Amino acid sequence: MKFGNYLEERKENLPSDYADHCIDYRSFKQFLKTEVYPHSIQLHDNLATDSFAQLVSDRLGELQKCQFDFIQKLDAEVDKVNRFFDLESQRLVTESNTNNSDNGQGELLKSIITLERFVFLNYTGITKILKKNDRHSGLSLSDPYLRRVAQLSFVKADQLTHLKRRVMNRYNSQVADLPPPYPPLMVRSRSNKTAHTALPPVVTGPNQQVLVSLSGPHGTDIVGAVLDSLARHPCRIQDVMISRLYHNVTFGVLVTLQSDSITIFRDLAEAAQKWDATLTYDVPDSQTREPAPPQQQQQHVANYAVPASLEEAPYSERTKYTATLLNQNGLSPDFLSQWTHLLLQHRISVEKLVRLNEPTVQMSCADVKLSVPSDLDMVELQRALFDLSTQCGTDIAFQKDDVYRKNKRLVVFDMDSTLIYQEVIDEIARYAGVVDQVSTITELAMNGEIDFKESLRRRVGLLKGVSVGVLENVRQSLTFTEGAKFLCSSLKKLGFKLAVISGGFMPLALYVKSELGLDYAFANQLEVSSDGLTLTGKTIGPIVDGIRKAELLEVIAQAEGLSLKQVIAVGDGANDLWMLNKASLGIAFNAKPRVQEQAGARINQKSLKYVLTLLGYTEQEMREL
């Protein structure tokens, strides 16, 4: 939400006389836009002029006039805020001296909190408008001006702080069994000032939460500087977060103050100055709004929320998801830009982004933690993700980021064109001299154009009279998919159970099970002649079609005592869709277009090892396996 709208909204919750004495933020914005920006000394390359010196001189001359008007206008607004604060502070002091009732102290405390909100709103507005002026004009007036403001009574708030402490003590002694109406609903007050001009939040006192963050190039020294400062003052650490960009580190600490002394902020400012760091204070807003869709900006009303962690987006009614972005040729800036626009369009917040591939090469795989509105149409989102993935040739796996994400325990694979490169029935048909007819039927089945059982009946029928020995010939020619052996070996080390469920044939499925160290193998059984020498062109027992695959997946999970939330399925054909949708993570591996569109996740890369990236494992962690 833009601050102008935020200010107007919060003014509506203030008493009318308070609202009347708030700064006129919107008129300042308009003044900067029309009077200051056209004369900015931040010059652009495309300016056409015969004399650069004359251009600078002209602009500085105009800036001198409009900056004089700006400062005069701002002085008047600041004076209005300060005078009103002085009058209200004195009124509250007088009221405190004349009203000692239980109810009177509670109401007085509420009035003090209201005045603090008034100060927060206006001080934040003054800071923001000064920063806008710096940006529009090319000058740097905000720091010296804020040093002047820091000497005013509404920023120091000494009288109000002492009054608040006195009233709280009196109120607590009168109603010891009831918690006081404190802390107040807090207004976000973020400052991006350098350390020597950093000012503490106006509201400081017991139970006040403040987010302190220090950013600078000195790594662990930054962490130590913050913690050393906090250690000298009574406060509780609620949460911490650290992020690093090579040498630059940002360390954030959410603290609850246990006294009304502001010396803690002085120590933090001195530490920031010592380490050439930027100090920021942010008072968490317990009224943070869920961002509204653009078409509902005026009407949208949502719940408020305080996040459970500093790494979480501070919005209510959200669900955590993880998106794995994967392209072995590199994640291009164009794709990442389109991806970000898609997130913005659906009001999805990015909470964390982690590179999964090796840092010595172009980024090709990333794990993105997301905060997704609970009312989002997931079908529409999945369609948009599929369209973007197809357009950019980059895989996007979107899954819930819950306890089961990294605690899957069973992986069920299709065999043909998944664990191995070949379609085994095509290989058998090649020896039988009917490969073209069988391949045509196979393609129809894989694309879902004919029923799998019917396709299997037709194909197996073409193998009548073929020697049983052909199965051994086919076995010797099988080639495992790149990464299949590594993936299965790694999963076994991680404690997974593995299965192959194939619409192919048992002798070859058993060979794949043995070579890859799988725990289960299910496939169709070919009938042989009574003398055991040839195939009859029929199968024995239940046909392993798509529905049967899903049933077997569930049977294995039950046998292992696992929830379906702990199951992964990997396949490429239309007959795999049932098991892909039965598992909590269904992966279409280099699959047919229809399968990719209907599966929950897709991998269109050469290697099966990328299944591990969908579980959040980095390439460095893979090397350890």
Side-chain angles (χ1 to χ4, degrees):
M1 180 184 293
K2 292 186 176 181
F3 182 76
N5 296 332
Y6 177 90
L7 177 61
E8 292 303 314
E9 178 188 279
R10 295 307 169 88
K11 281 168 64 175
E12 293 178 2
N13 297 324
L14 293 174
S16 58
D17 54 340
Y18 279 63
D20 291 341
H21 287 85
C22 286
I23 66 167
D24 190 353
Y25 182 82
R26 286 181 172 170
S27 72
F28 275 110
K29 278 189 65 178
Q30 185 62 28
F31 179 86
L32 294 176
K33 183 178 179 180
T34 58
E35 303 297 329
V36 175
Y37 183 70
H39 309 298
S40 174
I41 59 170
Q42 290 188 343
L43 304 178
H44 304 292
D45 294 338
N46 58 355
L47 289 173
T49 178
D50 294 332
S51 173
F52 183 77
Q54 186 61 49
L55 174 64
V56 172
S57 176
D58 292 345
R59 292 208 169 191
L60 285 173
E62 293 297 328
L63 269 181
Q64 183 178 6
K65 299 174 192 175
C66 60
Q67 287 298 290
F68 179 81
D69 293 340
F70 171 76
I71 295 299
Q72 277 200 324
K73 182 180 175 66
L74 186 58
D75 280 346
E77 291 291 294
V78 170
D79 184 59
K80 177 179 72 173
V81 170
N82 198 57
R83 282 188 287 106
F84 180 77
F85 174 83
D86 288 341
L87 289 172
E88 279 298 290
S89 295
Q90 189 56 51
R91 182 183 69 79
L92 294 176
V93 169
T94 302
E95 185 177 330
S96 171
N97 294 332
T98 57
N99 189 343
N100 293 319
S101 67
D102 293 357
N103 185 61
Q105 295 304 301
E107 291 301 316
L108 182 58
L109 187 53
K110 290 179 182 178
S111 297
I112 293 171
I113 291 169
T114 299
L115 185 55
E116 289 176 335
R117 291 186 199 161
F118 169 83
V119 171
F120 257 117
L121 283 173
N122 285 282
Y123 181 76
T124 304
I126 293 165
T127 302
K128 286 184 175 292
I129 208 65
L130 282 165
K131 291 295 182 183
K132 283 183 179 294
N133 181 63
D134 286 357
R135 191 164 60 251
H136 286 326
S137 68
L139 303 175
S140 297
L141 300 180
S142 57
D143 283 356
Y145 194 95
L146 286 171
R147 281 198 292 269
R148 291 176 59 231
V149 173
Q151 305 307 312
L152 299 178
S153 55
F154 87 98
V155 176
K156 287 186 171 182
D158 293 335
Q159 187 179 42
L160 188 66
T161 299
H162 295 146
L163 172 63
K164 183 177 185 178
R165 180 167 46 188
R166 188 168 74 247
V167 171
M168 287 182 66
N169 290 338
R170 191 184 299 167
Y171 183 86
N172 287 333
S173 66
Q174 291 173 344
V175 284
D177 56 330
L178 294 175
Y182 191 86
L185 295 176
M186 295 172 285
V187 178
R188 178 167 295 147
S189 177
R190 181 179 293 278
S191 63
N192 293 314
K193 300 177 286 294
T194 53
H196 68 279
T197 60
L199 298 172
V202 178
V203 183
T204 56
N207 299 324
Q208 175 69 62
Q209 282 194 338
V210 179
L211 173 59
V212 177
S213 63
L214 202 62
S215 301
H218 295 286
T220 308
D221 291 317
I222 294 290
V223 178
V226 174
L227 295 178
D228 286 347
S229 298
L230 298 181
R232 295 194 289 270
H233 302 277
C235 63
R236 295 192 305 272
I237 294 179
Q238 306 294 132
D239 199 1
V240 298
M241 188 201 75
I242 187 169
S243 63
R244 175 183 286 274
L245 184 62
Y246 289 101
H247 294 296
N248 292 296
V249 165
T250 295
F251 181 56
V253 186
L254 181 64
V255 297
T256 298
L257 304 179
Q258 294 180 297
S259 78
D260 56 12
S261 172
I262 65 169
T263 54
I264 185 173
F265 301 105
R266 180 204 62 200
D267 290 350
L268 286 166
E270 290 177 353
Q273 194 169 22
K274 174 182 177 181
W275 294 107
D276 190 27
T278 299
L279 177 64
T280 299
Y281 301 119
D282 194 7
V283 178
D285 189 350
S286 59
Q287 301 186 64
T288 300
R289 283 194 183 279
E290 173 75 41
Q295 66 274 21
Q296 301 176 18
Q297 288 288 347
Q298 299 303 319
Q299 298 85 12
H300 187 72
V301 177
N303 292 333
Y304 301 122
V306 175
S309 165
L310 292 182
E311 293 188 344
E312 295 184 18
Y315 306 124
S316 63
E317 299 180 3
R318 289 268 172 149
T319 305
K320 305 301 179 184
Y321 278 83
T322 293
T324 305
L325 312 179
L326 177 61
N327 186 326
Q328 62 190 31
N329 296 318
L331 299 174
S332 70
D334 179 61
F335 163 73
L336 292 172
S337 173
Q338 293 187 56
W339 157 252
T340 304
H341 282 294
L342 186 148
L343 297 181
L344 290 170
Q345 180 183 350
H346 290 85
R347 299 178 290 131
I348 298 173
S349 300
V350 176
E351 296 188 338
K352 193 173 185 180
L353 191 153
V354 177
R355 176 195 186 108
L356 296 181
N357 66 300
E358 295 287 358
T360 55
V361 296
Q362 180 181 0
M363 185 170 70
S364 60
C365 186
D367 214 37
V368 190
K369 306 290 185 184
L370 301 169
S371 174
V372 179
S374 299
D375 61 353
L376 190 64
D377 185 337
M378 296 305 293
V379 174
E380 179 187 339
L381 175 62
Q382 289 287 3
R383 188 179 303 114
L385 290 171
F386 177 75
D387 290 344
L388 177 62
S389 176
T390 304
Q391 175 187 339
C392 297
T394 298
D395 298 328
I396 305 172
F398 203 77
Q399 53 184 310
K400 275 195 173 180
D401 187 27
D402 56 21
V403 68
Y404 294 106
R405 196 264 173 126
K406 265 197 173 183
N407 285 282
K408 301 287 193 291
R409 283 295 173 265
L410 169 64
V411 184
V412 176
F413 297 96
D414 177 37
M415 181 172 73
D416 297 4
S417 299
T418 300
L419 287 176
I420 60 175
Y421 282 119
Q422 295 91 338
E423 292 284 336
V424 294
I425 196 166
D426 290 350
E427 297 304 307
I428 297 172
R430 200 180 310 282
Y431 284 95
V434 291
V435 64
D436 292 338
Q437 299 96 307
V438 168
S439 294
T440 299
I441 299 171
T442 300
E443 189 67 21
L444 291 174
M446 297 302 284
N447 285 323
E449 296 178 35
I450 63 172
D451 176 76
F452 180 81
K453 288 183 178 180
E454 173 62 19
S455 73
L456 184 68
R457 184 189 66 77
R458 291 187 196 178
R459 289 179 292 176
V460 172
L462 293 171
L463 303 180
K464 183 178 180 179
V466 174
S467 170
V468 170
V470 76
L471 295 174
E472 176 60 21
N473 294 333
V474 171
R475 182 193 70 77
Q476 294 179 8
S477 70
L478 292 184
T479 306
F480 287 98
T481 302
E482 180 181 330
K485 292 184 177 180
F486 170 77
L487 172 63
C488 292
S489 171
S490 299
L491 290 171
K492 293 298 290 183
K493 290 177 182 178
L494 292 168
F496 280 75
K497 294 293 182 179
L498 306 178
V500 58
I501 304 179
S502 172
F505 307 112
M506 273 305 292
L508 301 173
L510 289 172
Y511 166 71
V512 168
K513 172 178 177 286
S514 174
E515 287 295 301
L516 297 180
L518 310 183
D519 301 284
Y520 299 90
F522 295 93
N524 294 300
Q525 184 65 55
L526 289 168
E527 185 183 64
V528 299
S529 60
S530 57
D531 59 9
L533 297 178
T534 60
L535 302 176
T536 67
K538 297 180 181 179
T539 60
I540 302 173
I543 290 178
V544 181
D545 61 357
I547 295 174
R548 180 65 175 160
K549 283 188 172 189
E551 291 172 349
L552 289 169
L553 177 149
E554 194 163 8
V555 167
I556 297 170
Q558 290 175 353
E560 294 293 340
L562 300 174
S563 161
L564 289 176
K565 292 181 178 180
Q566 295 175 279
V567 180
I568 300 170
V570 186
D572 73 302
N575 67 321
D576 294 319
L577 279 171
W578 283 269
M579 76 173 186
L580 295 183
N581 290 322
K582 176 73 73 171
S584 66
L585 177 59
I587 304 171
F589 180 72
N590 291 320
K592 309 301 183 287
R594 176 186 166 217
V595 179
Q596 293 206 34
E597 188 171 1
Q598 296 184 35
R602 293 160 293 282
I603 294 179
N604 289 295
Q605 317 300 321
K606 293 179 180 179
S607 177
L608 270 171
K609 75 173 185 178
Y610 290 112
V611 169
L612 290 170
T613 66
L614 269 59
L615 301 180
Y617 291 99
T618 66
E619 286 197 356
Q620 181 177 347
E621 290 170 330
M622 292 183 205
R623 283 204 310 273
E624 296 175 11
L625 296 171

